[in-house]
């Protein structure tokens, strides 16, 4: 068989972290263990029934058997506009300030290709959602890290950036509620961000994937709620987390018209519309009763509290999440992120996500997902607790870590 070399563009792509995690998990599949998977961010609860019923009805409409408009139906863009006005008090133009996406990941990868040329600088939080790296690599851009440190509540400090970096920077990614740290943004931080972006002519790309999941009575802030934010940035939203529609692949970007225009232009060339039935269901989700969204957030908050209560006696350091459905946990002394992953997988049969996959500053942490039923989360916490104090003793752990 003839071997064809991939392009230099593909060679620039980093290791796909979630594919890597899936491969690690598959290597354990042959073991006769009851593995509890807390490593992925895949919602475990069903899509609300009223959304499913809308899809079923839409499937009988022959209009949806045809190609739809490449940029989505007007009714869906109007639903996005109505949702942002109702939930956040943000006004949007459905024609120029909304881009419909095959899940928010599509737009997050595309925006780097839309705005960056080879050698341009992008400001990137460290640690961060790994798929930001992919779009940046495709654009052949240069990353300048924004350290997210516990002592600063996992918010970047703009005054640490040099004038030389700021002169080159064109784009900055942010993500609150944050994956993986579960931190949330404050109004003051977003105001500082708008001022910083205006002063330095930098586009802000805010990933709002966990925008509906805030705890302790606090609703997460949309970046676009901040005065001036729409002039300097866009926000990515997905129905995957808010409405348990991960497999439906429906998201959108909203905000600055010039940036939205570039995303729509790129998708004109790379996409061919979205199935109308899913668009109708998405519009129903956005326009309909949001009680299921609030109920889902309450479930994640209960799971957070159950897990933390069971882990209280372990001595492990972890921040109490204020949003998202993750717990960012420090590994015990003597372990790396990878070796602690091996230890938990083989000794507790609990699968987590090693923090180093989210960036260099993720080293020394693991990410724990709350997308498992209450009883499974409690069982996972009990298994981990039984291992305290934590010591590397298993030859299997050392062997796997070295591979």
């Amino acid at each position: 068989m003839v071997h064809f070399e991939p392009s230099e563009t593909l060679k620039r792509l980093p290791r796909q972290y979630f594919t890597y995690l899936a491969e690690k998990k598959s290597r354990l599949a042959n073991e006769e263990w009851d593995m509890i998977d807390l490593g992925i961010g895949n919602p475990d609860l069903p899509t609300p029934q009223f959304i499913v019923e809308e899809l079923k009805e839409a499937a009988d409409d022959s209009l949806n058997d045809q190609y739809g408009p490449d940029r989505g139906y007007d009714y869906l863009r109007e639903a996005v506009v109505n949702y942002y006005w109702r939930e956040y008090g943000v006004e949007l133009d459905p024609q120029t300030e909304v881009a419909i996406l095959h899940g928010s990941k599509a737009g997050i990868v595309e925006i780097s290709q839309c705005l960056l040329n080879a050698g341009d600088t992008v400001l990137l939080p460290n640690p961060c959602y790994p798929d930001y790296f992919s779009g940046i690599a495709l654009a052949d851009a240069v990353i300048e890290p924004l350290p997210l440190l516990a002592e600063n509540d996992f918010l970047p400090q703009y005054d640490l950036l040099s004038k030389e970096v700021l002169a080159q920077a064109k784009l900055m990614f942010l993500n609150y509620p944050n994956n993986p740290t579960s931190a949330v943004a404050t109004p003051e931080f977003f105001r500082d961000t708008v001022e910083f972006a205006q002063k330095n002519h930098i586009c802000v790309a805010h990933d709002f994937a966990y925008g509906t999941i805030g705890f302790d009575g606090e609703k997460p802030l949309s970046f676009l709620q901040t005065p001036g934010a729409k002039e300097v940035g866009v926000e990515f939203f997905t129905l995957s987390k808010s409405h348990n529609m991960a497999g439906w692949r429906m998201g959108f970007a909203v905000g600055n018209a010039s940036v939205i225009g570039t995303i729509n232009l790129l998708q004109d060339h790379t996409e061919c519309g979205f199935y109308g039935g899913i668009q109708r269901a998405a519009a129903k989700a956005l326009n309909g009763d949001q009680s299921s969204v609030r109920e889902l957030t309450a479930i994640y908050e209960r799971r957070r509290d159950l897990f933390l209560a069971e882990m209280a006696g372990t001595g492990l350091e972890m921040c109490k999440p204020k949003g998202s459905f993750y717990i960012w946990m420090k590994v015990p002394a003597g372990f790396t992120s990878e070796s602690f992953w091996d230890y938990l997988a083989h000794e507790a049969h609990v699968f987590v996500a090693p923090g180093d996959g989210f960036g260099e500053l993720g080293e020394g942490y693991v990410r724990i997902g709350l997308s498992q039923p209450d009883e499974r989360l409690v069982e996972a916490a009990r298994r981990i607790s039984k291992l305290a104090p934590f010591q590397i003793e298993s030859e299997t752990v050392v062997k796997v870590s070295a591979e």
Side-chain angles (χ1 to χ4, degrees):
M1 181 179 292
V2 177
H3 175 74
F4 296 98
E5 274 295 303
S7 68
E8 293 301 316
T9 299
L10 287 187
K11 289 179 181 178
R12 288 198 302 269
L13 285 171
R15 178 188 72 183
Q16 217 297 330
Y17 181 58
F18 298 112
T19 301
Y20 166 70
L21 279 187
E23 290 170 351
K24 286 173 77 75
K25 188 167 64 174
S26 70
R27 290 202 296 270
L28 300 170
N30 293 329
E31 304 289 348
E32 294 183 1
W33 297 336
D34 174 27
M35 184 69 72
I36 301 177
D37 187 357
L38 306 182
I40 57 174
N42 193 2
D44 62 303
L45 296 168
T47 304
Q49 192 60 33
F50 77 94
I51 301 172
V52 176
E53 293 301 325
E54 186 70 13
L55 175 63
K56 290 179 179 178
E57 184 178 317
D60 287 330
D61 185 346
S62 61
L63 174 66
N64 293 319
D65 297 334
Q66 304 173 17
Y67 290 124
D70 286 346
R71 299 186 178 190
Y73 283 106
D74 289 344
Y75 65 75
L76 178 54
R77 292 197 304 275
E78 290 285 356
V80 170
V81 168
N82 293 338
Y83 181 83
Y84 256 72
W85 175 250
R86 186 180 69 245
E87 296 294 324
Y88 306 112
V90 173
E91 288 190 71
L92 296 166
D93 184 320
Q95 298 303 320
T96 62
E97 295 177 338
V98 178
I100 305 301
L101 307 170
H102 284 287
S104 60
K105 174 180 172 177
I108 285 167
V109 172
E110 290 165 350
I111 192 170
S112 292
Q113 299 165 78
C114 290
L115 297 183
L116 301 175
N117 296 310
D120 285 342
T121 296
V122 55
L123 305 179
L124 188 68
N126 189 346
C128 70
Y129 174 57
D131 284 334
Y132 301 152
F133 295 116
S134 304
I136 296 168
L138 292 171
D140 200 14
V142 176
I143 292 173
E144 180 67 28
L146 292 172
L148 303 187
L149 304 175
E151 53 264 35
N152 199 50
D153 297 322
F154 298 108
L155 299 171
Q157 295 174 275
Y158 301 134
D159 57 1
L160 299 181
L161 295 166
S162 70
K163 291 182 180 179
E164 291 75 19
V165 166
L166 294 177
Q168 297 297 318
K170 284 188 175 181
L171 176 65
M172 174 172 68
F173 284 94
L174 293 176
N175 165 219
Y176 295 99
N178 186 258
N179 175 17
T181 71
S182 76
V184 297
T186 63
E188 295 76 19
F189 170 71
F190 274 160
R191 286 198 293 269
D192 290 345
T193 298
V194 169
E195 181 180 348
F196 169 78
Q198 289 174 332
K199 180 180 178 180
N200 295 287
H201 197 71
I202 294 171
C203 176
V204 178
H206 183 236
D207 178 0
F208 203 35
Y210 302 90
T212 61
I213 307 175
F215 302 141
D216 305 312
E218 295 294 326
K219 182 176 181 177
L221 294 169
S222 162
F223 175 63
L224 296 187
Q225 287 177 278
T226 311
K230 194 166 65 170
E231 281 66 52
V232 296
V234 295
E235 188 159 79
F236 297 96
F237 191 97
T238 173
L239 276 67
S240 296
K241 310 302 192 295
S242 61
H243 295 80
N244 280 332
M245 296 174 66
W248 301 55
R249 308 313 303 144
M250 179 54 66
F252 53 84
V254 291
N256 182 282
S258 65
V259 180
I260 295 298
T262 66
I263 295 173
N264 277 327
L265 177 60
L266 180 59
Q267 291 198 144
D268 287 345
H269 291 271
T270 59
E271 309 290 351
C272 191
F274 309 78
Y275 176 54
I278 292 179
Q279 292 193 61
R280 269 186 51 179
K284 186 75 171 183
L286 294 168
N287 286 329
D289 183 7
Q290 301 300 302
S291 59
S292 63
V293 176
R294 294 188 291 272
E295 290 165 4
L296 179 62
T297 296
I299 289 170
Y300 288 134
E301 183 168 347
R302 183 181 71 240
R303 290 177 177 181
R304 174 201 69 173
D305 294 343
L306 286 170
F307 187 86
L308 292 179
E310 288 292 334
M311 295 287 287
T314 64
L316 291 169
E317 292 183 47
M318 60 196 91
C319 297
K320 186 177 183 180
K322 297 179 180 179
S324 82
F325 53 54
Y326 301 113
I327 293 173
W328 191 232
M329 185 171 74
K330 262 193 168 183
V331 305
F335 287 86
T336 65
S337 294
E338 288 283 335
S339 67
F340 196 55
W341 173 89
D342 285 337
Y343 186 73
L344 294 184
H346 289 85
E347 303 300 324
H349 305 158
V350 174
F351 189 91
V352 298
D356 58 336
F358 299 92
E360 292 84 356
L361 293 181
E363 175 53 58
Y365 290 87
V366 293
R367 191 193 74 176
I368 294 170
L370 300 175
S371 53
Q372 286 283 356
D374 295 8
E375 62 274 11
R376 296 292 279 171
L377 278 170
V378 169
E379 171 63 18
R382 287 174 178 167
R383 292 182 188 181
I384 296 171
S385 298
K386 288 177 181 177
L387 299 177
F390 302 94
Q391 297 178 341
I392 297 181
E393 297 175 348
S394 167
E395 292 182 3
T396 304
V397 172
V398 175
K399 179 181 177 183
V400 173
S401 297
E403 288 181 354

